[in-house]
Amino acid sequence: MELKLSRYIVDVTIPQFASEPTADRLLYSTRSGKTIRLSHRYLDILYTANFNLLPDKLFTILFDNEILIPAAEEEKETLLTRNLLALEDVTGNSTTLLVPVKATPDNSFFDVLMAQLDNVLAAIKKNNIKGFKYTVRLLLVIQYPVSGLDWLLLLDTRLKEINSTVKLTFTLNMLYDTMDYDNLVIPPLQVLTVNRLFFVFNEEKYNHLQHCTGDIEIIQRDLLTGQHHPGMKLQMMFKVNGKSWDSWKIPFIYVIATSARHKKVTIEFAIDKPAAEMKEQEKELIYLLSDYKIKCKWLPRPYQIGFAPALQQDKLSQSGIQIINTDLNLDGEELLQLISYLSETTPHLHHRQAPLREQFAATGSVSNIEERILATAGIPLRAQEV
């Protein structure tokens, strides 16, 4: 098969070797979100298209990570088609149900939930379901302190009672919009598959956490030490304004760094202003994260794929999310923004948020691209260490 080098790659100089023209460099694929460190020799082979000179193992890595692609492929059309097919698969074979939780749920709460769930399932068109399989994603938004999570057993039991000609899969995602992290142990469940728990920290929570870093330790201890949910992952988003990280205390930073090293934890940082306005401050944040070896997901998330414009609840429904228990109103514009963001990322756990080269090369829509790649690859941005 004839191959070619993908158009959607970024070639990055490693700062420590910037004065050495024959030093290793990083090659980042925006198609796969993977970074490969290559010697100058192998880069020359790639750029001169002498792919037969590559070692077999390296050739396989480059092909698997979509740095080398079939020569006949029309890249832009391929990527657009792939994204459209993924979207069609998600929208045609699954649904996202948003369930606000303001108190510990009881039987009456689940009676309403099950009635509305029955309506959702009744509307499924079987001819749109491949192999008659359907996924229902429950996104529970915990807005106020609840007394433990044993009530999930009741939900699990009620879901067992559903009779359907369609093979149903139920997945559970939870967003904590409260500072009460006690009793987070999730009991063993049979029907519900726990995918991901989201914790969002803003300025108000920073002030609390910096005096009690044990809250994050509770999250890790109670949720990641059990064996009941091996596929469960945690996602922590730190929302920052201005240069608020300058006031973070060292113990607090170390707790974040420790969390980031856990294989089941994803750390994200989001600056709540357009990237074009925050370029220099964003760069300072990226350097801070690099100094303390805080491993993040795409450091930090570009604004335009982070928080969407403010949404009203009716517009949230129009986005394809069905709101269950609508009498439990969602509080706050920021919470709606977060839910919108989570609803976009939750269905696509495989989706990579890397931008295409054309987008940031032409428009500058993603700033500090090289710093992001270096920090994500674990390469220090400064010579000295903190």
Side-chain angles (χ1 to χ4, degrees):
M1 177 173 57
E2 189 176 353
L3 300 174
K4 65 182 178 182
L5 189 63
S6 170
R7 294 166 54 196
Y8 300 110
I9 58 173
V10 186
D11 186 339
V12 181
T13 301
I14 299 174
Q16 289 77 3
F17 308 119
S19 60
E20 302 177 26
T22 60
D24 292 358
R25 296 174 67 85
L26 299 183
L27 206 60
Y28 176 76
S29 167
T30 67
R31 289 182 54 153
S32 66
K34 299 295 184 181
T35 301
I36 309 296
R37 182 168 176 166
L38 292 173
S39 68
H40 188 269
R41 173 194 171 197
Y42 290 139
L43 280 171
D44 281 345
I45 290 174
L46 285 179
Y47 288 133
T48 56
N50 293 312
F51 306 134
N52 59 310
L53 300 179
L54 294 169
D56 290 345
K57 185 176 181 180
L58 177 59
F59 179 91
T60 300
I61 291 172
L62 294 172
F63 185 78
D64 288 347
N65 290 291
E66 300 185 78
I67 292 174
L68 289 179
I69 62 172
E73 179 182 306
E74 294 290 340
E75 278 198 89
K76 181 178 286 189
E77 287 74 10
T78 297
L79 295 175
L80 289 173
T81 301
R82 188 165 70 182
N83 289 342
L84 288 172
L85 287 174
L87 178 62
E88 180 182 355
D89 185 63
V90 167
T91 56
N93 299 302
S94 64
T95 190
T96 298
L97 304 182
L98 175 61
V99 186
V101 178
K102 286 195 172 184
T104 302
D106 54 17
N107 278 310
S108 60
F109 178 95
F110 288 117
D111 286 343
V112 175
L113 172 58
M114 296 305 295
Q116 295 190 23
L117 183 56
D118 286 342
N119 293 333
V120 170
L121 298 178
I124 295 176
K125 296 180 180 179
K126 295 180 183 180
N127 59 344
N128 289 334
I129 304 171
K130 299 175 183 177
F132 298 101
K133 296 179 181 178
Y134 200 84
T135 298
V136 177
R137 295 182 300 271
L138 296 179
L139 176 56
L140 303 186
V141 182
I142 312 297
Q143 294 182 262
Y144 291 92
V146 294
S147 56
L149 296 174
D150 285 344
W151 50 270
L152 288 172
L153 290 168
L154 176 58
L155 173 58
D156 198 57
T157 300
R158 298 292 293 270
L159 293 176
K160 287 182 191 177
E161 300 170 358
I162 293 178
N163 293 318
S164 175
T165 57
V166 176
K167 183 178 180 180
L168 294 174
T169 299
F170 292 94
T171 63
L172 175 65
N173 301 274
M174 288 195 287
L175 164 64
Y176 274 80
D177 191 52
T178 170
M179 289 189 289
D180 182 7
Y181 304 122
D182 292 329
N183 302 315
L184 286 177
V185 178
I186 298 178
L189 304 170
Q190 296 182 31
V191 177
L192 275 169
T193 300
V194 184
N195 278 348
R196 194 165 298 201
L197 275 68
F198 300 89
F199 298 87
V200 180
F201 303 99
N202 54 23
E203 297 301 321
E204 179 185 0
K205 293 183 182 180
Y206 293 148
N207 295 332
H208 171 74
L209 289 171
Q210 292 200 69
H211 292 93
C212 184
T213 54
D215 282 346
I216 294 183
E217 294 168 352
I218 288 173
I219 292 172
Q220 295 183 74
R221 181 196 69 211
D222 287 356
L223 294 175
L224 297 176
T225 56
Q227 301 299 317
H228 300 307
H229 310 285
M232 181 180 67
K233 295 184 179 180
L234 306 187
Q235 187 160 333
M236 299 182 182
M237 175 184 283
F238 292 85
K239 184 180 177 184
V240 295
N241 294 306
K243 295 171 64 177
S244 58
W245 55 85
D246 282 347
S247 63
W248 292 355
K249 297 177 180 178
I250 296 299
F252 178 57
I253 295 175
Y254 282 150
V255 168
I256 296 175
T258 301
S259 299
R261 287 194 291 270
H262 200 293
K263 64 180 181 180
K264 289 190 175 183
V265 177
T266 297
I267 301 288
E268 288 190 87
F269 288 83
I271 297 179
D272 197 17
K273 284 187 179 180
E277 297 178 17
M278 296 292 293
K279 183 172 183 178
E280 290 307 313
Q281 291 187 14
E282 179 187 81
K283 185 179 291 187
E284 290 184 36
L285 173 58
I286 294 174
Y287 269 81
L288 173 74
L289 301 177
S290 173
D291 289 341
Y292 287 96
K293 299 180 175 62
I294 298 177
K295 184 180 179 181
C296 302
K297 177 184 177 183
W298 199 239
L299 295 159
R301 176 178 291 277
Y303 171 81
Q304 66 272 20
I305 53 175
F307 296 110
L311 292 173
Q312 300 298 321
Q313 192 162 324
D314 58 340
K315 293 183 179 179
L316 195 61
S317 302
Q318 293 170 15
S319 68
I321 308 169
Q322 301 198 40
I323 303 177
I324 303 298
N325 288 344
T326 52
D327 57 311
L328 298 178
N329 294 322
L330 297 166
D331 290 337
E333 180 179 283
E334 182 182 81
L335 180 58
L336 292 179
Q337 292 175 344
L338 292 172
I339 292 170
S340 175
Y341 156 71
L342 296 178
S343 68
E344 293 171 1
T345 59
T346 298
H348 306 277
L349 298 180
H350 64 282
H351 182 60
R352 302 175 180 94
Q353 296 287 357
L356 296 179
R357 183 177 182 181
E358 289 181 349
Q359 292 177 320
F360 63 72
T363 66
S365 63
V366 178
S367 60
N368 305 312
I369 182 73
E370 293 193 0
E371 288 83 358
R372 292 174 188 269
I373 293 170
L374 288 164
T376 304
I379 294 177
L381 294 173
R382 287 190 251 256
Q384 72 276 14
E385 295 185 358
V386 174

